[in-house]
Structure formats: structure tokens, C-alpha cells
Amino acid sequence: MKIVSHNEELPRDALSRIPQSSSRTSLSSCNKLIRFEDISAAAFKIQCGVQKTPCMYSRLSKQYGLDIYLKKEFLQYTGSVKERGVLYLLTSLPQDQQRKGVIVASDSNFSMAVAYHASGLRIPVFVIMSTSTSPARVKMCREYGAMVISYGTTAKDSQTHARRLAQENGYLYLEEEDSAVYLSGLGTVGLEVYEQVPKLDAVIFPAGGHCGLLAGSAAALKHLNPHISVIGVESESFPVLQQSLKAGHPIEDQACSNHHFYGDVSGLCFGSNSLQLTGKLVDKVVAVREEDILISMLRLLEYERATVDAEGAIGLAALVAGKLPELKGKRVAIVICSGNLELRLLQQCIARALTLDNRVCRFSLVLSDCPGDISKLLDILAREEARVLDIKQERMFVTSELFTVEVTCTVETRDKIHTAQLRNVLLERYPTAAWTER
């Protein structure tokens, strides 16, 4: 957590250049950044304000050949693990600052957590959002109890306006960073996972630019059991953490496109504290493709009835992509940290995931324009137990012989094997059938 316009700075926040991730140091040197006692104190202080979310055995275990336990942080009131760090920070503020209030400028999970918990603590809270912010996000933030102000067309405009209001009115301007207080709050996830799942072999966390959850939880887990592997997962499109570890300092010029899908995973690497803890305590950081994240979202929805966003699904994506073969047969916890996905985007993601998983396919073929020919095609599809989602006929612009009709079908199948069987049957009957490649 970065606090602007605040004169006092935590002594453990000043850090030197981090070493390469391959060089390991003792845990005692890391505790200069965050002590285990800090995380324990945070857990005690926030226990009545956040959910102790379940860490449950998953039915996905058989599919991937290991014992998977899902830490369901998306069940927090605002749908995000950020509540832990935010609540600990807000309760740690001096009383005079709590009376004056706080201000944030974004539409992120962090802002939602600040809005909700500041209102609960009776701290005046203001959220500045750009005019391009989703109306659903604006409404949700207001319902949490914040005064929401729309200003500017970009996030930078909103941040500038928020800083000005903070200076003029004595508010505390907050943006997500990696102070020891904030990281200690996030690190309570590691404590809970250790308590809830005995004999853990590994824990998988989302990483990316905002790796505070990974860093704080690693400090807790490695103190409790240095043999537990701590693994971070980020997107191949935004390998911010891996690049920062390689460079030895936070990368500041990383392009962040497609932000609405990736959320905080695509953010800039924001702090030396998190980066240094990650370099010293995290055993491995892997990157996954967008396709693997989408399929993970689909798996969690189907097997766990969990509607999560890219940040929430990215940990499981490492198993979907086969990036962690060393975990076969092991007992592994995955932190599902966020479930804030807009309905419109959710619909697009699931539709795309079904296509990637070879369970929705499309083909086109040309039939004679005679009564009964389309019925015969539908009979074949019914016999092969393929569910027709859409069927279209084109007569006017068909380039083949006269009195024919081009039929395009979108169908749903059980899995990849079923799709291949259907394709073979159709090609045997209709050799000119053309399949739309995904």
C-alpha cells in the first residue's frame, strides 16, 4: 500500500536492489521486510472484519493427478483477497486521519475493498473514477458506502484529481503499493492455508505486477515450513514479475493492454518490498497463456460452481497448461483470489472457453435445396448426440451449382473426442463439409 501525503514511513520499507531470483538467502534476512509476528498481529486484528474462507478439496484433483485444495478468497464480501490488506491498513491509521477520511482513484478490487471497509469503520471515503468506468462498478462502489466522483476520461486524470482533493482537504490518498502493513494483511492467507490443509507440499498464488499476496503469504508459509513450495503464476502476455526479477528492480515500462480481462495481473510491478520477498522466498514463477486462463475459468465454473475472473483462475491455469509436472501426486493448495468479472465479459469468456475446449464447433456444408435434406442433417446430429445451438441457411449468395443451399451449424459436444467422432461422421456423408478452425 502506497500512502501519499503521509510523513511517516515504515522503517522496513527502504530496500536495496534485490538479488537475482536464483540466489537464495536465509529467512531471517527476509524477516527484516516482514516478520512473522507482523502477519500474526494482522490476522488477530482483522479476524472479525474479513471471512476465514474455506480451503476445500476439489473434484478437479482426479483430472490433474494431484490433491488440489482451493482457497476460496473470492468469497470475501467484495469478492477479493484485497480486503485483508486494506482492513489492516485502515485500522492501523491514526485516529485523526480516520476522522479526516481517505481517497482512492481507480475502479480496481483495491478501491472496492477501501470503500467497503472504510465505511464499516466510519472513515469518510471518496473514490474518483474516470467517466469510462463501468456503470456496474460505480453502482457497487456507492452501495459499499463511498462517495463516488466521476472525473476525467483516463485513470491518470482521476488520480491527479484525487491527489489535489487530498491536498486541499486533508484526506489520505491511497493507492495499492507494498508497505509492510499491507503485505502483512495479505500474508494472513498463507497462515490460514497452512492451518486448513495439513501436510502441504505446495501453494500456488497469482503473481503478475501486483504480487503482494504472493510475497506476504510466502513470508508466512516459509516461516511455518520452509519445505513448502511457493509458486507464482502470471500471464505470458504480461510477464512483469519474471522480467522484474531478472532485471533486479521493478519494471516500469510494461505495456498493459486488455486490462479489463486481466485486472491486477497485468499491472506494473509496483514495489521493491514485494519483489525482494518474492526473489528470496518464492520457489518458482511460471507464465501461462490466455487460452489456459479461459479454460481454468470454465473448469472452476463447472466443477466448483465458482465464477471467477482471470486473476482468480490463473493459479489453476498453471496445472491446465502442464507447467508444473513436478507436483503430480502432491498435495497442493491454489488461492482463488478474485471473483469480480462483469457479466458481459463473463459471457464472452465462457463462450470462448467452450470453443477452446473443443466443446462448441461450427461447420458449413452445401445441400441440394430439396425437401428433407436439412432434416437428414439434423437426424445425423441427433443420432450423434450433438446439440444444435444455431443453424443458418444461405441461398442467394451460394457460389456452387444452382438450387443448392449453404448450411452453417454451430453445435455443442461433450468433449474433444466427441467432436472428432462427429467430424468423421459428417465428412463421410458430406465430403465437402468445411469446419471453422478455432
Side-chain angles (χ1 to χ4, degrees):
M1 184 79 65
K2 186 176 181 180
I3 303 177
V4 181
S5 301
H6 197 285
N7 294 327
E8 296 183 2
E9 187 174 312
L10 289 168
R12 290 190 294 273
D13 284 358
L15 299 177
S16 58
R17 179 183 176 91
I18 77 163
Q20 295 295 324
S21 59
S22 59
S23 60
R24 313 290 292 183
T25 58
S26 66
L27 186 58
S28 60
S29 65
C30 301
N31 286 340
K32 295 177 182 178
L33 307 176
I34 299 179
R35 298 173 303 170
F36 180 75
E37 290 79 2
D38 298 329
I39 300 172
S40 298
F44 179 77
K45 197 165 186 177
I46 68 175
Q47 61 181 331
C48 296
V50 298
Q51 297 289 329
K52 185 174 182 178
T53 55
C55 192
M56 303 172 61
Y57 183 78
S58 173
R59 289 190 295 149
L60 291 165
S61 300
K62 294 181 180 179
Q63 188 167 346
Y64 295 104
L66 64 159
D67 290 334
I68 299 174
Y69 292 82
L70 300 180
K71 179 65 172 169
K72 300 185 177 181
E73 281 296 302
F74 67 93
L75 296 177
Q76 297 290 352
Y77 191 86
T78 64
S80 168
V81 69
K82 301 294 174 68
E83 289 190 28
R84 294 174 178 269
V86 165
L87 179 58
Y88 190 45
L89 175 77
L90 292 175
T91 55
S92 301
L93 293 178
Q95 289 189 355
D96 61 334
Q97 189 59 66
Q98 291 187 15
R99 287 192 295 269
K100 291 178 182 178
V102 297
I103 188 168
V104 292
S106 76
D107 61 349
S108 64
N109 290 336
F110 170 76
S111 291
M112 298 294 171
V114 171
Y116 172 64
H117 284 292
S119 299
L121 294 169
R122 300 185 181 278
I123 299 174
V125 54
F126 303 87
V127 180
I128 313 301
M129 293 182 171
S130 67
T131 54
S132 60
T133 302
S134 163
R137 285 262 172 174
V138 174
K139 178 184 177 184
M140 188 68 68
C141 206
R142 284 179 174 147
E143 289 177 350
Y144 288 151
M147 173 67 72
V148 180
I149 301 172
S150 295
Y151 185 91
T153 57
T154 66
K156 188 174 181 180
D157 294 337
S158 300
Q159 291 164 4
T160 301
H161 187 59
R163 287 189 178 96
R164 184 168 62 248
L165 290 177
Q167 187 175 11
E168 293 173 353
N169 299 280
Y171 307 138
L172 188 65
Y173 175 69
L174 301 177
E175 61 182 13
E176 190 171 7
E177 242 283 355
D178 66 345
S179 70
V181 174
Y182 187 58
L183 294 184
S184 296
L186 293 176
T188 59
V189 173
L191 281 181
E192 289 187 10
V193 170
Y194 184 81
E195 294 173 357
Q196 292 170 315
V197 185
K199 299 181 181 179
L200 264 177
D201 293 303
V203 185
I204 302 174
F205 295 91
H210 291 194
C211 58
L213 172 63
L214 170 66
S217 297
L221 289 164
K222 289 296 186 179
H223 177 90
L224 293 165
N225 184 351
H227 300 293
I228 294 176
S229 294
V230 178
I231 300 168
V233 186
E234 63 182 347
S235 169
E236 284 186 357
S237 303
F238 312 99
V240 185
L241 182 55
Q242 291 180 354
Q243 291 180 4
S244 298
L245 289 169
K246 184 176 181 180
H249 58 81
I251 297 296
E252 298 180 357
D253 58 350
Q254 179 72 24
C256 299
S257 61
N258 205 12
H259 169 77
H260 291 293
F261 174 68
Y262 283 103
D264 291 343
V265 173
S266 64
L268 301 177
C269 194
F270 61 62
S272 298
N273 279 8
S274 299
L275 196 59
Q276 186 158 340
L277 279 167
T278 300
K280 292 177 177 180
L281 296 178
V282 174
D283 297 277
K284 190 175 185 180
V285 178
V286 299
V288 295
R289 301 175 306 160
E290 183 174 294
E291 290 86 346
D292 300 317
I293 298 173
L294 287 169
I295 291 177
S296 297
M297 294 169 65
L298 179 63
R299 296 284 185 269
L300 288 168
L301 182 61
E302 284 190 305
Y303 285 82
E304 298 293 331
R305 303 297 183 260
T307 306
V308 303
D309 53 22
E311 189 179 5
I314 197 168
L316 178 63
L319 299 182
V320 171
K323 291 297 182 76
L324 301 170
E326 69 274 16
L327 297 183
K328 289 290 185 181
K330 301 292 183 65
R331 179 170 290 197
V332 179
I334 304 175
V335 179
I336 312 298
C337 66
S338 177
N340 289 323
L341 191 65
E342 295 179 20
L343 293 177
R344 173 188 57 81
L345 187 55
L346 172 64
Q347 185 178 18
Q348 294 177 8
C349 289
I350 297 305
R352 180 63 176 154
L354 286 169
T355 304
L356 291 169
D357 205 28
N358 292 289
R359 291 162 57 186
V360 172
C361 55
R362 178 180 296 169
F363 61 88
S364 299
L365 47 82
V366 177
L367 302 174
S368 65
D369 196 8
C370 297
D373 273 14
I374 292 182
S375 295
K376 293 176 183 177
L377 171 62
L378 294 176
D379 287 342
I380 293 174
L381 295 176
R383 187 167 61 249
E384 296 299 319
E385 298 180 347
R387 180 169 173 251
V388 178
L389 301 178
D390 186 46
I391 185 168
K392 295 180 180 178
Q393 303 177 54
E394 177 59 60
R395 288 181 172 83
M396 296 182 62
F397 299 97
V398 178
T399 58
S400 58
E401 61 185 79
L402 294 175
F403 308 114
T404 58
V405 55
E406 183 179 27
V407 179
T408 302
C409 284
T410 303
V411 298
E412 181 181 4
T413 58
R414 290 187 298 272
D415 50 33
K416 185 176 182 178
I417 296 175
H418 189 197
T419 299
Q421 291 174 348
L422 175 64
R423 184 170 184 167
N424 292 335
V425 169
L426 288 174
L427 286 173
E428 184 178 346
R429 176 67 184 269
Y430 306 101
T432 60
W435 287 73
T436 303
E437 300 295 333
R438 60 181 176 85

